[in-house]
mmCIF file with all atom_site columns, all heavy atoms in Angstrom:
data_model
loop_
_atom_site.group_PDB
_atom_site.id
_atom_site.type_symbol
_atom_site.label_atom_id
_atom_site.label_alt_id
_atom_site.label_comp_id
_atom_site.label_asym_id
_atom_site.label_entity_id
_atom_site.label_seq_id
_atom_site.pdbx_PDB_ins_code
_atom_site.Cartn_x
_atom_site.Cartn_y
_atom_site.Cartn_z
_atom_site.occupancy
_atom_site.B_iso_or_equiv
_atom_site.pdbx_formal_charge
_atom_site.auth_seq_id
_atom_site.auth_comp_id
_atom_site.auth_asym_id
_atom_site.auth_atom_id
_atom_site.pdbx_PDB_model_num
ATOM 1   N N   . GLU A 1 87  ? 12.747 -11.500 -18.905 1.00 0.00 ? 87  GLU A N   1
ATOM 2   C CA  . GLU A 1 87  ? 13.023 -12.060 -17.611 1.00 0.00 ? 87  GLU A CA  1
ATOM 3   C C   . GLU A 1 87  ? 12.878 -10.819 -16.634 1.00 0.00 ? 87  GLU A C   1
ATOM 4   O O   . GLU A 1 87  ? 13.852 -10.296 -16.247 1.00 0.00 ? 87  GLU A O   1
ATOM 5   C CB  . GLU A 1 87  ? 14.344 -12.685 -17.351 1.00 0.00 ? 87  GLU A CB  1
ATOM 6   C CG  . GLU A 1 87  ? 14.449 -13.916 -18.223 1.00 0.00 ? 87  GLU A CG  1
ATOM 7   C CD  . GLU A 1 87  ? 15.947 -14.211 -18.558 1.00 0.00 ? 87  GLU A CD  1
ATOM 8   O OE1 . GLU A 1 87  ? 16.541 -13.478 -19.273 1.00 0.00 ? 87  GLU A OE1 1
ATOM 9   O OE2 . GLU A 1 87  ? 16.423 -15.267 -18.061 1.00 0.00 ? 87  GLU A OE2 1
ATOM 10  N N   . TYR A 1 88  ? 11.599 -10.273 -16.601 1.00 0.00 ? 88  TYR A N   1
ATOM 11  C CA  . TYR A 1 88  ? 11.520 -8.940  -15.904 1.00 0.00 ? 88  TYR A CA  1
ATOM 12  C C   . TYR A 1 88  ? 11.024 -8.972  -14.488 1.00 0.00 ? 88  TYR A C   1
ATOM 13  O O   . TYR A 1 88  ? 11.425 -8.032  -13.741 1.00 0.00 ? 88  TYR A O   1
ATOM 14  C CB  . TYR A 1 88  ? 10.380 -8.255  -16.849 1.00 0.00 ? 88  TYR A CB  1
ATOM 15  C CG  . TYR A 1 88  ? 9.177  -8.822  -16.959 1.00 0.00 ? 88  TYR A CG  1
ATOM 16  C CD1 . TYR A 1 88  ? 8.041  -8.794  -16.066 1.00 0.00 ? 88  TYR A CD1 1
ATOM 17  C CD2 . TYR A 1 88  ? 8.833  -9.590  -18.139 1.00 0.00 ? 88  TYR A CD2 1
ATOM 18  C CE1 . TYR A 1 88  ? 6.932  -9.575  -16.145 1.00 0.00 ? 88  TYR A CE1 1
ATOM 19  C CE2 . TYR A 1 88  ? 7.698  -10.415 -18.288 1.00 0.00 ? 88  TYR A CE2 1
ATOM 20  C CZ  . TYR A 1 88  ? 6.608  -10.256 -17.400 1.00 0.00 ? 88  TYR A CZ  1
ATOM 21  O OH  . TYR A 1 88  ? 5.463  -10.995 -17.560 1.00 0.00 ? 88  TYR A OH  1
ATOM 22  N N   . GLY A 1 89  ? 10.249 -9.904  -13.948 1.00 0.00 ? 89  GLY A N   1
ATOM 23  C CA  . GLY A 1 89  ? 9.927  -9.937  -12.573 1.00 0.00 ? 89  GLY A CA  1
ATOM 24  C C   . GLY A 1 89  ? 8.899  -8.880  -12.080 1.00 0.00 ? 89  GLY A C   1
ATOM 25  O O   . GLY A 1 89  ? 7.800  -9.233  -11.584 1.00 0.00 ? 89  GLY A O   1
ATOM 26  N N   . CYS A 1 90  ? 9.194  -7.611  -12.483 1.00 0.00 ? 90  CYS A N   1
ATOM 27  C CA  . CYS A 1 90  ? 8.380  -6.578  -12.067 1.00 0.00 ? 90  CYS A CA  1
ATOM 28  C C   . CYS A 1 90  ? 8.077  -5.728  -13.150 1.00 0.00 ? 90  CYS A C   1
ATOM 29  O O   . CYS A 1 90  ? 8.917  -5.150  -13.782 1.00 0.00 ? 90  CYS A O   1
ATOM 30  C CB  . CYS A 1 90  ? 9.062  -5.830  -10.938 1.00 0.00 ? 90  CYS A CB  1
ATOM 31  S SG  . CYS A 1 90  ? 8.186  -4.307  -10.381 1.00 0.00 ? 90  CYS A SG  1
ATOM 32  N N   . PRO A 1 91  ? 6.716  -5.374  -13.418 1.00 0.00 ? 91  PRO A N   1
ATOM 33  C CA  . PRO A 1 91  ? 6.344  -4.532  -14.534 1.00 0.00 ? 91  PRO A CA  1
ATOM 34  C C   . PRO A 1 91  ? 6.778  -3.060  -14.370 1.00 0.00 ? 91  PRO A C   1
ATOM 35  O O   . PRO A 1 91  ? 6.839  -2.359  -15.326 1.00 0.00 ? 91  PRO A O   1
ATOM 36  C CB  . PRO A 1 91  ? 4.796  -4.644  -14.555 1.00 0.00 ? 91  PRO A CB  1
ATOM 37  C CG  . PRO A 1 91  ? 4.478  -5.035  -13.161 1.00 0.00 ? 91  PRO A CG  1
ATOM 38  C CD  . PRO A 1 91  ? 5.533  -5.954  -12.819 1.00 0.00 ? 91  PRO A CD  1
ATOM 39  N N   . GLY A 1 92  ? 7.089  -2.728  -13.135 1.00 0.00 ? 92  GLY A N   1
ATOM 40  C CA  . GLY A 1 92  ? 7.617  -1.277  -12.948 1.00 0.00 ? 92  GLY A CA  1
ATOM 41  C C   . GLY A 1 92  ? 9.222  -1.289  -13.059 1.00 0.00 ? 92  GLY A C   1
ATOM 42  O O   . GLY A 1 92  ? 9.770  -0.534  -13.688 1.00 0.00 ? 92  GLY A O   1
ATOM 43  N N   . GLY A 1 93  ? 9.844  -2.279  -12.450 1.00 0.00 ? 93  GLY A N   1
ATOM 44  C CA  . GLY A 1 93  ? 11.248 -2.400  -12.439 1.00 0.00 ? 93  GLY A CA  1
ATOM 45  C C   . GLY A 1 93  ? 11.746 -2.567  -13.995 1.00 0.00 ? 93  GLY A C   1
ATOM 46  O O   . GLY A 1 93  ? 12.866 -1.997  -14.154 1.00 0.00 ? 93  GLY A O   1
ATOM 47  N N   . VAL A 1 94  ? 11.079 -3.222  -14.782 1.00 0.00 ? 94  VAL A N   1
ATOM 48  C CA  . VAL A 1 94  ? 11.588 -3.498  -16.152 1.00 0.00 ? 94  VAL A CA  1
ATOM 49  C C   . VAL A 1 94  ? 11.505 -2.127  -16.924 1.00 0.00 ? 94  VAL A C   1
ATOM 50  O O   . VAL A 1 94  ? 12.406 -1.910  -17.816 1.00 0.00 ? 94  VAL A O   1
ATOM 51  C CB  . VAL A 1 94  ? 10.723 -4.628  -16.820 1.00 0.00 ? 94  VAL A CB  1
ATOM 52  C CG1 . VAL A 1 94  ? 9.348  -4.042  -17.189 1.00 0.00 ? 94  VAL A CG1 1
ATOM 53  C CG2 . VAL A 1 94  ? 11.482 -5.056  -18.129 1.00 0.00 ? 94  VAL A CG2 1
ATOM 54  N N   . TYR A 1 95  ? 10.673 -1.219  -16.490 1.00 0.00 ? 95  TYR A N   1
ATOM 55  C CA  . TYR A 1 95  ? 10.550 0.084   -17.192 1.00 0.00 ? 95  TYR A CA  1
ATOM 56  C C   . TYR A 1 95  ? 11.744 0.995   -16.662 1.00 0.00 ? 95  TYR A C   1
ATOM 57  O O   . TYR A 1 95  ? 12.445 1.618   -17.286 1.00 0.00 ? 95  TYR A O   1
ATOM 58  C CB  . TYR A 1 95  ? 9.227  0.853   -16.821 1.00 0.00 ? 95  TYR A CB  1
ATOM 59  C CG  . TYR A 1 95  ? 9.091  2.160   -17.374 1.00 0.00 ? 95  TYR A CG  1
ATOM 60  C CD1 . TYR A 1 95  ? 9.004  2.418   -18.662 1.00 0.00 ? 95  TYR A CD1 1
ATOM 61  C CD2 . TYR A 1 95  ? 9.194  3.196   -16.446 1.00 0.00 ? 95  TYR A CD2 1
ATOM 62  C CE1 . TYR A 1 95  ? 8.884  3.746   -19.116 1.00 0.00 ? 95  TYR A CE1 1
ATOM 63  C CE2 . TYR A 1 95  ? 9.129  4.541   -16.905 1.00 0.00 ? 95  TYR A CE2 1
ATOM 64  C CZ  . TYR A 1 95  ? 8.930  4.864   -18.174 1.00 0.00 ? 95  TYR A CZ  1
ATOM 65  O OH  . TYR A 1 95  ? 8.878  6.135   -18.647 1.00 0.00 ? 95  TYR A OH  1
ATOM 66  N N   . TYR A 1 96  ? 11.868 1.010   -15.173 1.00 0.00 ? 96  TYR A N   1
ATOM 67  C CA  . TYR A 1 96  ? 12.927 1.859   -14.653 1.00 0.00 ? 96  TYR A CA  1
ATOM 68  C C   . TYR A 1 96  ? 14.268 1.572   -14.974 1.00 0.00 ? 96  TYR A C   1
ATOM 69  O O   . TYR A 1 96  ? 15.164 2.287   -15.018 1.00 0.00 ? 96  TYR A O   1
ATOM 70  C CB  . TYR A 1 96  ? 12.637 1.934   -13.197 1.00 0.00 ? 96  TYR A CB  1
ATOM 71  C CG  . TYR A 1 96  ? 11.366 2.412   -12.648 1.00 0.00 ? 96  TYR A CG  1
ATOM 72  C CD1 . TYR A 1 96  ? 10.656 1.692   -11.760 1.00 0.00 ? 96  TYR A CD1 1
ATOM 73  C CD2 . TYR A 1 96  ? 10.774 3.540   -13.184 1.00 0.00 ? 96  TYR A CD2 1
ATOM 74  C CE1 . TYR A 1 96  ? 9.363  2.111   -11.312 1.00 0.00 ? 96  TYR A CE1 1
ATOM 75  C CE2 . TYR A 1 96  ? 9.517  3.993   -12.742 1.00 0.00 ? 96  TYR A CE2 1
ATOM 76  C CZ  . TYR A 1 96  ? 8.800  3.232   -11.823 1.00 0.00 ? 96  TYR A CZ  1
ATOM 77  O OH  . TYR A 1 96  ? 7.531  3.680   -11.404 1.00 0.00 ? 96  TYR A OH  1
ATOM 78  N N   . CYS A 1 97  ? 14.472 0.282   -15.244 1.00 0.00 ? 97  CYS A N   1
ATOM 79  C CA  . CYS A 1 97  ? 15.804 -0.253  -15.693 1.00 0.00 ? 97  CYS A CA  1
ATOM 80  C C   . CYS A 1 97  ? 16.033 -0.134  -17.143 1.00 0.00 ? 97  CYS A C   1
ATOM 81  O O   . CYS A 1 97  ? 16.965 -0.742  -17.717 1.00 0.00 ? 97  CYS A O   1
ATOM 82  C CB  . CYS A 1 97  ? 16.020 -1.635  -15.246 1.00 0.00 ? 97  CYS A CB  1
ATOM 83  S SG  . CYS A 1 97  ? 16.200 -1.834  -13.427 1.00 0.00 ? 97  CYS A SG  1
ATOM 84  N N   . ALA A 1 98  ? 15.093 0.540   -17.835 1.00 0.00 ? 98  ALA A N   1
ATOM 85  C CA  . ALA A 1 98  ? 15.161 0.897   -19.240 1.00 0.00 ? 98  ALA A CA  1
ATOM 86  C C   . ALA A 1 98  ? 15.042 -0.323  -20.246 1.00 0.00 ? 98  ALA A C   1
ATOM 87  O O   . ALA A 1 98  ? 15.477 -0.283  -21.291 1.00 0.00 ? 98  ALA A O   1
ATOM 88  C CB  . ALA A 1 98  ? 16.526 1.515   -19.542 1.00 0.00 ? 98  ALA A CB  1
ATOM 89  N N   . MET A 1 99  ? 14.377 -1.387  -19.761 1.00 0.00 ? 99  MET A N   1
ATOM 90  C CA  . MET A 1 99  ? 14.186 -2.588  -20.561 1.00 0.00 ? 99  MET A CA  1
ATOM 91  C C   . MET A 1 99  ? 12.767 -2.632  -21.249 1.00 0.00 ? 99  MET A C   1
ATOM 92  O O   . MET A 1 99  ? 12.575 -3.594  -22.088 1.00 0.00 ? 99  MET A O   1
ATOM 93  C CB  . MET A 1 99  ? 14.417 -3.831  -19.733 1.00 0.00 ? 99  MET A CB  1
ATOM 94  C CG  . MET A 1 99  ? 15.666 -3.820  -18.808 1.00 0.00 ? 99  MET A CG  1
ATOM 95  S SD  . MET A 1 99  ? 17.134 -3.619  -19.802 1.00 0.00 ? 99  MET A SD  1
ATOM 96  C CE  . MET A 1 99  ? 17.153 -5.314  -20.636 1.00 0.00 ? 99  MET A CE  1
ATOM 97  N N   . LEU A 1 100 ? 11.907 -1.755  -20.960 1.00 0.00 ? 100 LEU A N   1
ATOM 98  C CA  . LEU A 1 100 ? 10.459 -1.790  -21.571 1.00 0.00 ? 100 LEU A CA  1
ATOM 99  C C   . LEU A 1 100 ? 10.022 -0.360  -21.806 1.00 0.00 ? 100 LEU A C   1
ATOM 100 O O   . LEU A 1 100 ? 10.043 0.532   -20.913 1.00 0.00 ? 100 LEU A O   1
ATOM 101 C CB  . LEU A 1 100 ? 9.645  -2.602  -20.712 1.00 0.00 ? 100 LEU A CB  1
ATOM 102 C CG  . LEU A 1 100 ? 8.115  -2.653  -21.090 1.00 0.00 ? 100 LEU A CG  1
ATOM 103 C CD1 . LEU A 1 100 ? 8.089  -3.571  -22.358 1.00 0.00 ? 100 LEU A CD1 1
ATOM 104 C CD2 . LEU A 1 100 ? 7.105  -3.030  -19.963 1.00 0.00 ? 100 LEU A CD2 1
ATOM 105 N N   . GLN A 1 101 ? 9.550  -0.091  -22.931 1.00 0.00 ? 101 GLN A N   1
ATOM 106 C CA  . GLN A 1 101 ? 8.937  1.182   -23.391 1.00 0.00 ? 101 GLN A CA  1
ATOM 107 C C   . GLN A 1 101 ? 7.772  0.913   -24.377 1.00 0.00 ? 101 GLN A C   1
ATOM 108 O O   . GLN A 1 101 ? 7.939  0.085   -25.143 1.00 0.00 ? 101 GLN A O   1
ATOM 109 C CB  . GLN A 1 101 ? 9.939  2.161   -24.002 1.00 0.00 ? 101 GLN A CB  1
ATOM 110 C CG  . GLN A 1 101 ? 11.133 2.545   -23.050 1.00 0.00 ? 101 GLN A CG  1
ATOM 111 C CD  . GLN A 1 101 ? 12.174 3.413   -23.808 1.00 0.00 ? 101 GLN A CD  1
ATOM 112 O OE1 . GLN A 1 101 ? 12.189 3.472   -25.094 1.00 0.00 ? 101 GLN A OE1 1
ATOM 113 N NE2 . GLN A 1 101 ? 12.946 4.189   -23.164 1.00 0.00 ? 101 GLN A NE2 1
ATOM 114 N N   . PRO A 1 102 ? 6.744  1.667   -24.145 1.00 0.00 ? 102 PRO A N   1
ATOM 115 C CA  . PRO A 1 102 ? 6.356  2.540   -23.007 1.00 0.00 ? 102 PRO A CA  1
ATOM 116 C C   . PRO A 1 102 ? 5.947  1.771   -21.810 1.00 0.00 ? 102 PRO A C   1
ATOM 117 O O   . PRO A 1 102 ? 5.855  0.420   -21.807 1.00 0.00 ? 102 PRO A O   1
ATOM 118 C CB  . PRO A 1 102 ? 5.175  3.401   -23.520 1.00 0.00 ? 102 PRO A CB  1
ATOM 119 C CG  . PRO A 1 102 ? 4.567  2.404   -24.582 1.00 0.00 ? 102 PRO A CG  1
ATOM 120 C CD  . PRO A 1 102 ? 5.628  1.585   -25.164 1.00 0.00 ? 102 PRO A CD  1
ATOM 121 N N   . HIS A 1 103 ? 5.701  2.349   -20.699 1.00 0.00 ? 103 HIS A N   1
ATOM 122 C CA  . HIS A 1 103 ? 5.374  1.698   -19.427 1.00 0.00 ? 103 HIS A CA  1
ATOM 123 C C   . HIS A 1 103 ? 4.048  1.058   -19.533 1.00 0.00 ? 103 HIS A C   1
ATOM 124 O O   . HIS A 1 103 ? 3.207  1.537   -20.314 1.00 0.00 ? 103 HIS A O   1
ATOM 125 C CB  . HIS A 1 103 ? 5.509  2.597   -18.184 1.00 0.00 ? 103 HIS A CB  1
ATOM 126 C CG  . HIS A 1 103 ? 4.412  3.782   -18.139 1.00 0.00 ? 103 HIS A CG  1
ATOM 127 N ND1 . HIS A 1 103 ? 4.437  4.892   -18.927 1.00 0.00 ? 103 HIS A ND1 1
ATOM 128 C CD2 . HIS A 1 103 ? 3.141  3.720   -17.578 1.00 0.00 ? 103 HIS A CD2 1
ATOM 129 C CE1 . HIS A 1 103 ? 3.343  5.615   -18.792 1.00 0.00 ? 103 HIS A CE1 1
ATOM 130 N NE2 . HIS A 1 103 ? 2.626  5.055   -17.969 1.00 0.00 ? 103 HIS A NE2 1
ATOM 131 N N   . LEU A 1 104 ? 3.699  0.089   -18.750 1.00 0.00 ? 104 LEU A N   1
ATOM 132 C CA  . LEU A 1 104 ? 2.397  -0.332  -18.661 1.00 0.00 ? 104 LEU A CA  1
ATOM 133 C C   . LEU A 1 104 ? 1.435  0.558   -17.798 1.00 0.00 ? 104 LEU A C   1
ATOM 134 O O   . LEU A 1 104 ? 1.837  0.953   -16.688 1.00 0.00 ? 104 LEU A O   1
ATOM 135 C CB  . LEU A 1 104 ? 2.295  -1.811  -17.898 1.00 0.00 ? 104 LEU A CB  1
ATOM 136 C CG  . LEU A 1 104 ? 3.045  -2.916  -18.627 1.00 0.00 ? 104 LEU A CG  1
ATOM 137 C CD1 . LEU A 1 104 ? 2.885  -4.283  -17.906 1.00 0.00 ? 104 LEU A CD1 1
ATOM 138 C CD2 . LEU A 1 104 ? 2.545  -2.973  -20.153 1.00 0.00 ? 104 LEU A CD2 1
ATOM 139 N N   . ARG A 1 105 ? 0.232  0.911   -18.330 1.00 0.00 ? 105 ARG A N   1
ATOM 140 C CA  . ARG A 1 105 ? -0.652 1.751   -17.500 1.00 0.00 ? 105 ARG A CA  1
ATOM 141 C C   . ARG A 1 105 ? -1.111 1.198   -16.171 1.00 0.00 ? 105 ARG A C   1
ATOM 142 O O   . ARG A 1 105 ? -1.371 1.969   -15.378 1.00 0.00 ? 105 ARG A O   1
ATOM 143 C CB  . ARG A 1 105 ? -1.895 2.058   -18.400 1.00 0.00 ? 105 ARG A CB  1
ATOM 144 C CG  . ARG A 1 105 ? -1.548 2.817   -19.815 1.00 0.00 ? 105 ARG A CG  1
ATOM 145 C CD  . ARG A 1 105 ? -0.936 4.158   -19.571 1.00 0.00 ? 105 ARG A CD  1
ATOM 146 N NE  . ARG A 1 105 ? -1.789 4.998   -18.956 1.00 0.00 ? 105 ARG A NE  1
ATOM 147 C CZ  . ARG A 1 105 ? -2.746 5.804   -19.492 1.00 0.00 ? 105 ARG A CZ  1
ATOM 148 N NH1 . ARG A 1 105 ? -2.882 5.743   -20.860 1.00 0.00 ? 105 ARG A NH1 1
ATOM 149 N NH2 . ARG A 1 105 ? -3.376 6.644   -18.875 1.00 0.00 ? 105 ARG A NH2 1
ATOM 150 N N   . PHE A 1 106 ? -0.971 -0.019  -16.111 1.00 0.00 ? 106 PHE A N   1
ATOM 151 C CA  . PHE A 1 106 ? -1.335 -0.732  -14.795 1.00 0.00 ? 106 PHE A CA  1
ATOM 152 C C   . PHE A 1 106 ? -0.622 -0.170  -13.638 1.00 0.00 ? 106 PHE A C   1
ATOM 153 O O   . PHE A 1 106 ? -1.006 -0.040  -12.476 1.00 0.00 ? 106 PHE A O   1
ATOM 154 C CB  . PHE A 1 106 ? -0.985 -2.263  -14.913 1.00 0.00 ? 106 PHE A CB  1
ATOM 155 C CG  . PHE A 1 106 ? -0.951 -3.050  -13.659 1.00 0.00 ? 106 PHE A CG  1
ATOM 156 C CD1 . PHE A 1 106 ? -2.222 -3.457  -13.081 1.00 0.00 ? 106 PHE A CD1 1
ATOM 157 C CD2 . PHE A 1 106 ? 0.100  -3.287  -12.931 1.00 0.00 ? 106 PHE A CD2 1
ATOM 158 C CE1 . PHE A 1 106 ? -2.290 -4.214  -11.951 1.00 0.00 ? 106 PHE A CE1 1
ATOM 159 C CE2 . PHE A 1 106 ? 0.111  -4.015  -11.752 1.00 0.00 ? 106 PHE A CE2 1
ATOM 160 C CZ  . PHE A 1 106 ? -1.135 -4.448  -11.249 1.00 0.00 ? 106 PHE A CZ  1
#
Side-chain angles (χ1 to χ4, degrees):
E87 300 155 291
Y88 53 86
C90 172
V94 72
Y95 174 76
Y96 301 130
C97 291
M99 309 304 293
L100 177 71
Q101 294 177 341
H103 70 279
L104 298 185
R105 299 295 298 273
F106 169 82

